[in-house]
């Protein structure tokens, strides 16, 4: 049943990448518990605009849990208090009347703040560009079932493909590691027959790009799995590590003589 609550927000405000940020407190009165978290911020922003103040910048696109743009750190947790929920699908009924809510951007060296709560996540795009593709012709929609895929592998590939690139795993990791994201993208293609031709190169190239972007290393905290709104599991990291080790052992630079 719809209720209305009053909450106090402590929001990270930062004019640009170079500026020093700080928390600013705003009251959000009479918030419907049926509102999404982003809708609540929209109302706060309308109030700021009416007062002639700068609205709070947030990143969002689909508002349906698909695009991954809306990752905010809410009371210290990426995407807030509900498991397997993106910020855009989080509702204000998850909060209490009178609650204080701290809202911060994802904090990682590889995700510089652009403004307020919006960070530059293009490092994740560059990891995908390094190898997250296939060259095998797959035909069009009517050819979808032409290549048989074992059911168990198809299911695992589908689970890995659920990653929306939100960066919550990075935000949750004490090392700001992007291993869960990279592993999901590598796993998805490594499990399908169409992904086999570039499988080894893909693992090597994507891990190298991940390191180049300044993400930290995995030290098995498991916080990434707990924070992931799409339920990506640590098994994907194990699969990526296996492929990466194999790829590193078998790699020969172009033009090098083969064999040991
Ligand atoms: S693995 Fe999960 S938390 Fe990490 S980017 Fe993908 S969906 Fe987001
Ligand atoms: S706005 Fe697209 S996942 Fe939240």
């Amino acid at each position: 049943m719809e209720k209305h609550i009053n909450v106090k927000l402590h929001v990270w405000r930062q004019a640009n990448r170079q500026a020093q940020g700080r928390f600013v407190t705003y009251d959000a009165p009479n918030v419907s518990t049926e509102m999404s978290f982003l809708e609540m911020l929209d109302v706060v922003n309308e109030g700021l605009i009416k007062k002639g103040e700068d609205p709070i910048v947030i990143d969002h696109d689909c508002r349906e849990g698909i695009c991954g743009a809306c990752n905010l750190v809410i009371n210290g947790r990426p995407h807030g208090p509900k498991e397997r929920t993106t910020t855009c699908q989080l509702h204000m009924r998850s909060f209490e009347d009178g609650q204080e809510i701290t809202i911060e951007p994802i904090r990682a060296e590889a995700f510089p703040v652009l403004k307020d709560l919006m960070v530059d996540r293009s490092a994740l795009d560059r990891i995908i560009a390094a190898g997250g593709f296939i060259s095998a012709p797959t035909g069009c929609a009517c050819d979808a079932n032409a290549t048989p895929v074992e059911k168990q592998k198809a299911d695992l590939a589908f689970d890995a493909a659920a990653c929306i690139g939100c960066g919550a795993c990075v935000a949750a990791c004490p090392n700001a590691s992007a291993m869960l994201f990279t592993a999901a993208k590598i796993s998805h293609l490594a499990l399908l027959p169409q992904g086999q031709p570039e499988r080894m190169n893909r693992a090597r190239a994507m891990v190298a790009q991940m390191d180049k972007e300044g993400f930290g290393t995995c030290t098995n905290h498991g916080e990434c799995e707990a924070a992931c709104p799409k339920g990506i599991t640590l098994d994907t990291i194990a699969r990526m590590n296996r492929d990466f080790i194999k790829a590193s052992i078998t790699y020969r630079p172009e033009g090098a003589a083969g064999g040991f």
Side-chain angles (χ1 to χ4, degrees):
M1 199 180 73
E2 184 186 21
K3 282 198 307 183
H4 287 82
I5 58 174
N6 302 308
V7 289
K8 196 184 274 293
L9 310 177
H10 304 291
V11 183
W12 185 258
R13 304 296 315 255
Q14 183 172 335
N16 55 52
R17 202 176 274 217
Q18 287 77 30
Q20 184 141 21
R22 68 197 169 97
F23 282 105
V24 178
T25 300
Y26 301 99
D27 283 316
N30 203 30
V31 172
S32 162
T33 50
E34 299 306 303
M35 271 183 190
S36 76
F37 198 81
L38 296 187
E39 284 166 343
M40 179 275 293
L41 286 175
D42 290 340
V43 174
V44 171
N45 272 342
E46 275 171 26
L48 290 177
I49 291 165
K50 274 186 197 145
K51 283 195 277 177
E53 291 180 30
D54 205 11
I56 302 157
V57 172
I58 50 171
D59 199 0
H60 63 92
D61 189 1
C62 68
R63 298 202 176 202
E64 290 183 341
I66 299 166
C67 74
C70 63
N71 183 13
L72 302 176
V73 177
I74 300 163
N75 284 346
R77 290 187 60 173
H79 292 297
K82 275 198 90 180
E83 279 184 13
R84 301 223 179 166
T85 307
T86 54
T87 302
C88 58
Q89 295 190 307
L90 177 69
H91 283 83
M92 292 309 294
R93 52 181 172 265
S94 299
F95 298 90
E96 305 284 329
D97 186 31
Q99 191 168 346
E100 302 208 7
I101 306 173
T102 303
I103 314 171
E104 299 166 79
I106 313 176
R107 297 198 189 274
E109 201 175 313
F111 292 151
V113 171
L114 294 175
K115 187 167 181 183
D116 298 336
L117 302 171
M118 185 182 198
V119 302
D120 177 357
R121 287 179 306 121
S122 59
L124 300 184
D125 298 335
R126 288 188 292 276
I127 293 174
I128 294 184
F133 51 81
I134 58 166
S135 60
T138 54
C140 53
C142 58
D143 304 314
N145 296 322
T147 308
V149 183
E150 199 184 310
K151 168 82 170 106
Q152 199 201 2
K153 285 197 174 164
D155 286 349
L156 288 172
F158 194 82
D159 290 347
C163 167
I164 54 172
C166 62
C169 45
V170 179
C173 175
N175 307 326
S177 168
M179 291 281 260
L180 196 67
F181 163 80
T182 310
K185 299 299 175 192
I186 287 177
S187 274
H188 163 207
L189 296 175
L191 285 157
L192 296 172
Q194 296 89 341
Q196 300 312 307
E198 290 99 357
R199 183 170 173 178
M200 293 298 119
N201 275 348
R202 178 181 306 115
R204 235 178 23 80
M206 289 179 76
V207 170
Q209 188 65 35
M210 176 184 78
D211 292 343
K212 194 171 151 196
E213 295 292 346
F215 292 105
T217 321
C218 174
T219 46
N220 298 320
H221 286 266
E223 295 291 332
C224 54
E225 185 183 88
C228 176
K230 296 297 166 184
I232 306 293
T233 57
L234 294 173
D235 309 9
T236 55
I237 296 183
R239 186 176 298 107
M240 174 176 75
N241 286 341
R242 281 198 298 274
D243 277 10
F244 178 71
I245 291 168
K246 201 168 162 192
S248 305
I249 293 170
T250 54
Y251 175 64
R252 290 288 172 275
E254 238 171 75
F260 288 95

